[in-house]
Amino acid sequence: MTAELVRGQNHTLPQTRLEIRISAGAPVVAGATLGDEQGRVAGVEWIAHPGSPQLHGLEVSRQAAADHRLAVDLDALPEGVHRVTVLLALPLGAGGPTRFGAVASPFVAVTGLDGTEIATFTLTGLDSESAVAALELYRRQGAWKVRAVGQGYAGGLAAMLADQGVDRAAELAGTIQDAVARGLARSVAPPPPRTPEGDRVRHAPTPAPAPGNGQPPVPPPAPATPAQPEPLAEPAAPGGPVNYAHPRRQSTAPPPPPPVAPPAPPGQPAQPVAGDATGWSMDERLYNQVWGMFEDLARAVAAYRSAVDFAESRMDQELERTLSDPRSRIGGAGDRAREEARAKRDELTSRARESLDRDLAQLDAESAVVEPALPAPYAGWDNPVWHGYRVPMEIPMALRIGDLHLPERADLRIPLLVRLPLERGMWIDSGRTASEAAALTGPDQLRGLAMETAVLHAARLLAVYPPNEFTVHVIDPAGSAAGALAPLVRSGVLPSPPAAGAQGVSSVLAHLTRRVDLVQMAIRAGAADSLPPDLDPAEQLLIVNDFPHGFDDRAVTQLRYLADEGPSVGVHLMMVADREEASEYGPILDPLWRSLLRVTPVADDHLADPWVGHAWTYEPPRTPPGSAVLDQVLERVAHARRTGHR
């Protein structure tokens, strides 16, 4: 039976291998400290945080997220550890809430490896605090217990660490927040909540077999409390069918009913249907369905990897117990024990893979019906919908900027959709990365592919906005991107030729900086109708090639200003750059890179999902070889811009 704790209450732990699950209404940083009998932390080596996520017997998340799973093996902790304190903190400089009173009460659950809840605690009563010691696991007279703490700190992470006796706590807190900022820069932003009151509908999952009967443990969904706003997600039930209904995506009033799948044969999962999610329109239902597929794949693979890790850990423990007896180290007994342990490991891994394959098959079937039904903004360039393209009359919900996949099933691609209007700019990394695709591509070819990728992104943005509601500017100081920019130039969709040289760079940056200043002043004064008549009201995109070539210190400052202040008033950056080439500026440009969503011109596994933090391989958009679809679409956009007709 689950113990629902209140602040100060404790509960005996029946086992030492645990998971601590955290659910919050906004991204939070999760960490843990190891303390002695008095709760004092011996040093930074006894603190697990996103910049150093693994200690003996303890592992925490590598990035800020609304959901966390911390792995704890109390028997494997260093000698002298008597207390494990779980810490939560709000990330700084991420544009999110700065105090826990502004977010839903975090929910923490201590579970066994099979997902069975042992104790839960909802952290209520927080207000100005930006960091909190959520709970602690402590050893008393040889037994481990959990205590609900809920001690908040208005002084943030630094004050909380100092309270535990950590030397140079402020410096360590800064290091942790820097690691979090780097993680947020590579994380795909989750979709916004559909409604504030949309409570998660709980579906009965397929029970996860307990480890004792030879099955790998797969954690069930983490609980959500009614007092919380809609959580990002709950895990799909491992070993059972993937739920396509996505019931949490509700509207304030009933949306049009989604398509109904034909009845499935007994014992078989329902056939997937495009648009099988709630929403006011088919486009919104498809958007929600794609994000549901993204989440389902992340959860299914997380369950598989967890089961494989458990199988390996169990084999190691069995071998350690066997070999600790000197009598089993000689003769056939030791060999038989090793074979039996490996056989159990292989069986558990095989069963976990079978469960994953069932989930992957259902997601594959769903993808097969969803992809052909996607509207142009969500569709790949090879989708026939582009051959019937017409310039839209309104802005769509989202835009496809590439595909994502995981190594467990590389051919199962999930469209990467970002909301419109854009909330952050993009950085197309033209440098050499650690990926295999980048290693096989020469530096000049990488730079060319990066600019071609930028053009495809810009063309898609132009295509999904109504006529004259999106404007693209280009800075190409050395004129090295003339070939890649040719489709934009010859179609006439650019208001002016690409800017070249130092003077061209200065002119474009001054023009866009002035626009940001004027719009901000008009908004603050409540006089949006008084903007100068020569100011273009359309959303603006600035493509910058070959940065920092042609940029002086003033231009760099203007560029940072546009990255920070531009998105809120409709000015967006698309940087095509190699960060190493700008290294002479040092850390002054770090905020610039972090503010942009980094994508690559070749396949690279640098993006993280917002649920479990998998490293996803990003595939950039490509037009089919020999296809004229890009030129055809841009010609229609240019015609609509000239005539005002679709």
Side-chain angles (χ1 to χ4, degrees):
M1 182 175 178
T2 303
E4 297 182 2
L5 305 179
V6 297
R7 186 175 279 107
Q9 190 176 5
N10 60 45
H11 182 74
T12 301
L13 295 172
Q15 58 203 77
T16 57
R17 290 175 60 82
L18 307 164
E19 272 194 351
I20 298 173
R21 302 183 181 185
I22 299 161
S23 178
V28 297
V29 182
T33 60
L34 307 181
D36 58 18
E37 289 183 278
Q38 286 73 43
R40 308 295 288 182
V41 179
V44 294
E45 65 276 6
W46 276 25
I47 303 175
H49 57 81
S52 179
Q54 290 182 322
L55 301 178
H56 287 296
L58 179 64
E59 182 173 2
V60 303
S61 304
R62 296 176 180 269
Q63 64 184 46
D67 296 302
H68 291 273
R69 290 186 180 185
L70 281 59
V72 182
D73 184 350
L74 298 173
D75 290 336
L77 294 174
E79 187 177 355
V81 172
H82 287 259
R83 189 174 301 180
V84 179
T85 304
V86 177
L87 314 176
L88 303 179
L90 294 170
L92 301 179
T98 58
R99 59 187 185 90
F100 274 107
V103 302
S105 299
F107 177 84
V108 184
V110 180
T111 76
L113 290 181
D114 61 353
T116 302
E117 288 182 353
I118 300 169
T120 63
F121 175 42
T122 301
L123 284 76
T124 58
L126 298 175
D127 186 11
S128 61
E129 300 88 345
S130 60
V132 59
L135 55 77
E136 63 182 15
L137 313 178
Y138 65 98
R139 182 160 46 189
R140 182 68 53 82
Q141 296 178 347
W144 282 94
K145 297 183 178 183
V146 56
R147 177 187 290 121
V149 180
Q151 175 64 54
Y153 294 84
L157 192 56
M160 181 167 54
L161 293 172
D163 192 43
Q164 297 192 35
V166 178
D167 292 332
R168 304 172 70 179
E171 182 179 337
L172 176 59
T175 300
I176 294 173
Q177 292 289 0
D178 285 345
V180 171
R182 291 193 296 271
L184 288 173
R186 61 185 288 269
S187 178
V188 178
R194 307 310 318 152
T195 66
E197 69 276 84
D199 193 19
R200 178 92 174 165
V201 179
R202 188 77 74 121
H203 288 261
T206 302
N213 64 5
Q215 294 276 4
V218 185
T225 60
Q228 295 180 356
E230 180 185 35
L232 285 178
E234 287 184 357
V242 175
N243 175 20
Y244 298 125
H246 309 305
R248 71 186 173 96
R249 301 180 178 92
Q250 300 174 354
S251 302
T252 53
V260 178
Q268 297 294 322
Q271 294 299 311
V273 174
D276 188 13
T278 56
W280 286 101
S281 65
M282 176 59 87
D283 285 4
E284 184 176 3
R285 295 201 295 268
L286 286 168
Y287 171 82
N288 289 336
Q289 188 172 14
V290 167
W291 268 93
M293 293 165 60
F294 185 14
E295 181 180 339
D296 287 342
L297 181 54
R299 298 293 189 186
V301 170
Y304 167 71
R305 293 179 181 178
S306 176
V308 171
D309 288 344
F310 170 78
E312 294 285 348
S313 174
R314 175 172 172 168
M315 181 187 70
D316 292 342
Q317 289 182 346
E318 290 180 353
L319 289 175
E320 184 178 354
R321 283 196 300 267
T322 299
L323 297 178
S324 63
D325 184 355
R327 294 171 297 180
S328 64
R329 297 177 190 168
I330 57 175
D335 293 337
R336 286 193 300 272
R338 293 185 185 90
E339 291 175 1
E340 290 174 0
R342 293 189 181 103
K344 288 179 183 178
R345 186 271 315 272
D346 293 342
E347 181 185 5
L348 293 178
T349 302
S350 176
R351 291 183 180 180
R353 184 71 209 196
E354 289 174 4
S355 176
L356 175 65
D357 287 342
R358 286 194 298 270
D359 288 343
L360 293 179
Q362 293 176 40
L363 283 168
D364 191 47
E366 187 173 17
S367 178
V369 299
V370 168
E371 276 285 357
L374 294 177
Y378 306 173
W381 285 110
D382 56 350
N383 192 308
V385 71
W386 285 106
H387 296 290
Y389 165 77
R390 296 185 65 189
V391 178
M393 296 304 295
E394 60 183 19
I395 302 172
M397 282 186 63
L399 181 77
R400 186 174 186 159
I401 62 169
D403 295 335
L404 297 171
H405 63 84
L406 290 171
E408 282 78 3
R409 181 69 184 276
D411 62 332
L412 179 55
R413 307 295 175 89
I414 303 295
L416 176 53
L417 303 181
V418 297
R419 289 295 294 259
L420 293 179
L422 295 173
E423 296 179 354
R424 61 194 293 200
M426 297 173 65
W427 164 30
I428 302 172
D429 192 349
S430 60
R432 185 174 297 281
T433 64
S435 72
E436 181 180 355
L440 298 174
T441 308
D444 292 339
Q445 188 179 2
L446 272 176
R447 283 191 286 269
L449 289 173
M451 198 61 201
E452 291 173 9
T453 302
V455 168
L456 289 175
H457 288 312
R460 184 176 285 260
L461 283 163
L462 286 164
V464 302
Y465 271 77
N468 297 308
E469 290 193 18
F470 197 88
T471 301
V472 176
H473 307 270
V474 180
I475 289 179
D476 184 23
S480 59
L485 291 168
L488 297 178
V489 174
R490 63 173 173 256
S491 64
V493 295
L494 297 179
S496 58
Q503 184 175 355
V505 171
S506 176
S507 175
V508 173
L509 291 177
H511 169 73
L512 292 177
T513 301
R514 171 179 177 268
R515 185 189 186 281
V516 171
D517 289 339
L518 290 174
V519 175
Q520 283 186 335
M521 287 189 292
I523 292 174
R524 284 195 293 265
D529 295 336
S530 63
L531 289 168
D534 65 333
L535 188 139
D536 183 2
E539 295 271 317
Q540 310 284 311
L541 175 70
L542 173 60
I543 302 176
V544 178
N545 184 41
D546 266 354
F547 178 80
H549 180 78
F551 281 74
D552 56 21
D553 290 345
R554 184 171 186 273
V556 170
T557 301
Q558 289 177 312
L559 198 66
R560 284 190 55 188
Y561 176 73
L562 292 178
D564 293 339
E565 304 293 336
S568 63
V569 291
V571 177
H572 312 283
L573 281 184
M574 186 177 291
M575 300 280 294
V576 181
D578 179 358
R579 187 171 182 173
E580 292 299 319
E581 293 181 358
S583 59
E584 64 187 73
Y585 287 96
I588 191 174
L589 289 179
D590 286 350
L592 172 64
W593 305 120
R594 292 175 187 167
S595 69
L596 305 174
L597 174 63
R598 175 177 173 255
V599 296
T600 51
V602 294
D604 189 86
D605 60 346
H606 67 282
L607 289 178
D609 65 77
W611 300 287
V612 293
H614 291 317
W616 292 73
T617 296
Y618 168 79
E619 293 277 357
R622 288 283 179 265
T623 55
S627 172
V629 63
L630 179 62
D631 289 329
Q632 293 170 1
V633 168
L634 288 175
E635 286 173 5
R636 293 174 188 174
V637 171
H639 175 76
R641 292 171 68 90
R642 289 192 302 268
T643 64
H645 300 297
R646 300 168 63 199

